[in-house]
Amino acid sequence: MKITKIDIYAIHLPLIEPFVISYDTYDTMPSIITKITTDEGIVGYGEAVPDEHVTGETWEGAYMMLKHQLAPAVIGQDPLCFEKIHDLMDKTVYLAPAAKAAIDIACFDIAGKKLQVPVYQLIGGRYHEKFPITHVLSIGSPEKMAQEAAERVEMGYHSFKMKVGTEVMKDVERIKAVRERVGDAIDIRVDVNQGWHNAATTLKGLRALRKMNLDWLEQPVDADDIDAMVEVKAKSDVPLMIDEGLHGMKEMREIIAKRAADKVNIKLMKCGGIYPAMKLAHMAEMAGIECQIGSMVESSVGSAAGFHVAFSKKVFKSVELTGPLKFSMDIGNLHYDVPFISLNEKSGLGVDVDESIIKELCQFSCRVDGKEEGNE
């Protein structure tokens, strides 16, 4: 089987409400959808959700990277040869993980459809039956975040991921307001998205939060400052998770060597897709570090890909792939039984893609087929 053509669509996914985190506010989510077709007529879908603050890629840049470098590099290749596909992409382009994930995910979708099995059967088989879904609270006033949390508890949610990362003591007020509103039985995870920058500020915040019974604190310091994570971990009993500080094997080796975190947040957009995500999970498992599959707010396509990884490995203890719940219009039909997610047994990613919605949301597109480059 060979890849014969790749259609690339740059789309804007409409959000029900703006998504607010420490470094940006999103009214729509920029995404890139790949549709890979083989000589056997099997079609697979992939997705890239780049973020210049996290992956180093812009939406426009990732699109051009796919169009001019990555898609031409894999035309004619067997989509089931994952190691070779990644080797070709790595030799063609340095880094660019989200763009590479768009190719990787589509290849796994094709492989599952070819073999008539779900993607999780290709990477270890199904271990978990279902995962609880954590509701993500965007940054807002303490009152607004507490009210939203209370409403979600009424809907059946048992855990929250709070986005903070402004001034540390204002963030403390937000966290305390939510905890007081929902009570002690609800799990609260705090994601700073690097907003506290250094160990000193982080420790100041943790001292003020000593009685808040946090599940864990995620990426409080600047992404490249692994040593600051080591210091915080040594001086606090709140479990620490690394997110933006982990991209690939290079960072994972340093995290393991320095014992810099209790948990790691693996995102397909940061590491390059399903295949490299499994490598990171194996490394973490050998080092006794728990894993989470995190979200870059992907559509049903990218979210399903992440769920297949999480469902296949014991080391994954949590998932935060809630993008489809945030969109007023989605290109696929990934199903949530709020507050849980349980995958179906359809082949490939198990997601039906509506191409009419892709076209409605599309800002520009092209086709790469090895003959001549498509035009936007």
Side-chain angles (χ1 to χ4, degrees):
M1 185 165 57
K2 293 182 179 180
I3 296 171
T4 55
K5 63 182 178 182
I6 303 177
D7 293 290
I8 308 167
Y9 304 93
I11 68 173
H12 278 168
L13 289 157
L15 289 158
I16 297 169
E17 295 180 352
F19 186 60
V20 185
I21 54 179
S22 65
Y23 57 76
D24 214 338
T25 298
Y26 297 91
D27 296 310
T28 61
M29 190 55 57
S31 170
I32 301 163
I33 303 301
T34 53
K35 176 186 176 184
I36 296 182
T37 304
T38 71
D39 58 354
E40 296 184 10
I42 300 174
V43 172
Y45 292 92
E47 182 173 18
V49 179
D51 185 330
E52 55 267 39
H53 302 95
V54 179
T55 72
E57 304 157 279
T58 64
W59 177 60
E60 299 87 352
Y63 173 85
M64 297 304 286
M65 192 82 73
L66 281 160
K67 176 182 177 181
H68 293 297
Q69 280 85 31
L70 294 176
V74 300
I75 291 289
Q77 297 298 318
D78 184 343
L80 275 64
C81 294
F82 306 121
E83 183 84 12
K84 187 174 183 181
I85 290 284
H86 275 278
D87 187 51
L88 281 169
M89 291 196 293
D90 291 344
K91 287 177 178 176
T92 303
V93 173
Y94 179 62
L95 300 180
K100 290 174 182 175
I103 300 290
D104 168 283
I105 293 168
C107 287
F108 271 94
D109 194 24
I110 289 168
K113 290 172 179 175
K114 167 70 175 179
L115 301 173
Q116 297 185 337
V117 296
V119 165
Y120 57 72
Q121 295 291 8
L122 304 174
I123 52 177
R126 186 167 185 157
Y127 178 81
H128 300 280
E129 287 305 311
K130 64 180 181 179
F131 274 105
I133 297 298
T134 297
H135 179 69
V136 180
L137 298 170
S138 293
I139 295 176
S141 68
E143 297 78 15
K144 182 178 184 296
M145 295 180 80
Q147 178 61 30
E148 182 179 346
E151 292 170 357
R152 296 291 171 166
V153 169
E154 290 296 319
M155 295 171 61
Y157 285 92
H158 300 288
S159 63
F160 295 101
K161 176 174 182 172
M162 292 188 61
K163 291 289 187 178
V164 297
T166 58
E167 295 179 39
V168 63
M169 296 316 292
K170 289 185 178 179
D171 290 333
V172 167
E173 291 177 16
R174 295 180 172 105
I175 297 162
K176 286 184 175 179
V178 171
R179 172 57 79 199
E180 289 171 4
R181 190 66 177 273
V182 302
D184 293 332
I186 300 298
D187 296 331
I188 295 179
R189 299 93 185 251
V190 174
D191 185 4
V192 191
N193 287 120
Q194 310 176 65
W196 294 348
H197 301 298
N198 56 54
T201 304
T202 300
L203 290 167
K204 178 182 179 181
L206 285 173
R207 283 193 293 271
L209 293 166
R210 189 168 288 136
K211 297 180 180 179
M212 290 300 103
N213 188 29
L214 302 182
D215 263 24
W216 63 75
L217 182 70
E218 182 175 346
Q219 198 64 54
V221 303
D222 293 340
D224 294 336
D225 199 347
I226 299 295
D227 288 336
M229 292 290 289
V230 174
E231 182 178 353
V232 173
K233 185 170 180 287
K235 296 178 179 180
S236 169
D237 60 1
V238 175
L240 283 187
M241 176 182 284
I242 284 185
D243 178 4
E244 289 94 337
L246 170 64
H247 290 265
M249 288 189 286
K250 175 180 178 292
E251 295 86 2
M252 184 66 91
R253 283 195 296 267
E254 184 178 2
I255 292 164
I256 292 170
K258 294 181 175 180
R259 305 299 297 174
D262 304 285
K263 303 170 184 285
V264 291
N265 195 357
I266 297 173
K267 294 178 178 176
L268 273 57
M269 298 301 138
K270 291 189 304 175
C271 68
I274 293 171
Y275 194 66
M278 293 301 294
K279 290 184 178 181
L280 294 180
H282 291 147
M283 292 175 73
E285 186 174 36
M286 287 188 288
I289 297 174
E290 292 185 355
C291 297
Q292 171 177 281
I293 284 286
S295 172
M296 298 291 281
V297 196
E298 300 95 337
S299 76
S300 285
V301 170
S303 298
F307 279 127
H308 279 276
V309 174
F311 272 78
S312 70
K313 289 288 291 178
K314 182 180 179 180
V315 74
F316 285 102
K317 305 300 183 182
S318 59
V319 295
E320 289 181 350
L321 294 158
T322 57
L325 297 174
K326 297 182 181 297
F327 299 128
S328 59
M329 184 183 297
D330 190 8
I331 64 166
N333 62 345
L334 183 64
H335 178 66
Y336 291 78
D337 294 310
V338 175
F340 295 98
I341 178 74
S342 52
L343 291 180
N344 59 44
E345 296 180 1
K346 293 181 181 179
S347 61
L349 293 175
V351 171
D352 299 317
V353 173
D354 190 331
E355 293 198 11
S356 67
I357 294 179
I358 291 180
K359 291 175 181 176
E360 182 177 346
L361 302 178
C362 187
Q363 307 297 304
F364 40 90
S365 64
C366 68
R367 172 174 291 177
V368 178
D369 59 13
K371 300 172 184 176
E372 58 180 87
E373 198 170 84
N375 295 316
E376 293 165 50

